[in-house]
Amino acid sequence: MVRIAEIKDMRNVYKLICELEQQRLPYAQFISIYKDQLENPWYFCFVAEINGEIVGILNLRIENQLRHVQKVAEITEFVVKDGFRSLGIGKRLLSWQKKTIVCN
């Protein structure tokens, strides 16, 4: 299942971002940024779950870009948990966000 991330997902999203960056990031700073992004209408974080476990995330922002002269959705983080790769999870995250995000 793919859905929009919630505050309750913070710890699991943090773990996946640390896996992506291959280091432990400062958790207090992560919490602050995660909460800010969840409240910001121009950021979207999608999570993929299998049997209640978050196994992938796709985080993006929408902004006006000069070179495109319009709003553009830009993926900022995209990771699937080790051991769950090559199962089509990334493809589901990408296709779900395209159906969900509408740039006006």
Side-chain angles (χ1 to χ4, degrees):
M1 171 174 97
V2 175
R3 62 176 173 77
I4 293 176
E6 301 172 10
I7 196 72
K8 69 178 183 175
D9 302 318
M10 185 166 36
R11 184 55 118 173
N12 292 314
V13 170
Y14 171 76
K15 289 177 184 176
L16 281 172
I17 294 295
C18 289
E19 183 176 323
L20 174 67
E21 292 300 311
Q22 299 179 349
Q23 64 175 311
R24 186 180 169 133
L25 301 168
Y27 189 59
Q29 291 170 287
F30 175 87
I31 290 170
S32 176
I33 294 168
Y34 183 77
K35 287 179 179 178
D36 286 347
Q37 287 187 2
L38 287 181
E39 294 175 6
N40 187 324
W42 299 108
Y43 280 84
F44 294 86
C45 185
F46 300 94
V47 294
E49 286 182 311
I50 295 180
N51 298 323
E53 179 181 0
I54 294 176
V55 297
I57 64 162
L58 185 148
N59 198 35
L60 61 85
R61 73 170 171 255
I62 298 173
E63 64 184 9
N64 283 314
Q65 292 188 353
L66 294 172
R67 68 181 183 271
H68 296 293
V69 196
Q70 64 183 347
K71 288 184 177 91
V72 174
E74 184 173 47
I75 295 171
T76 57
E77 290 95 15
F78 186 28
V79 62
V80 174
K81 187 175 183 178
D82 192 29
F84 289 88
R85 297 179 184 139
S86 300
L87 300 176
I89 294 166
K91 185 177 181 178
R92 286 194 304 237
L93 281 163
L94 284 169
S95 65
W96 203 79
Q97 65 88 17
K98 287 177 187 174
K99 294 175 196 172
T100 307
I101 304 298
V102 177
C103 296
N104 293 321

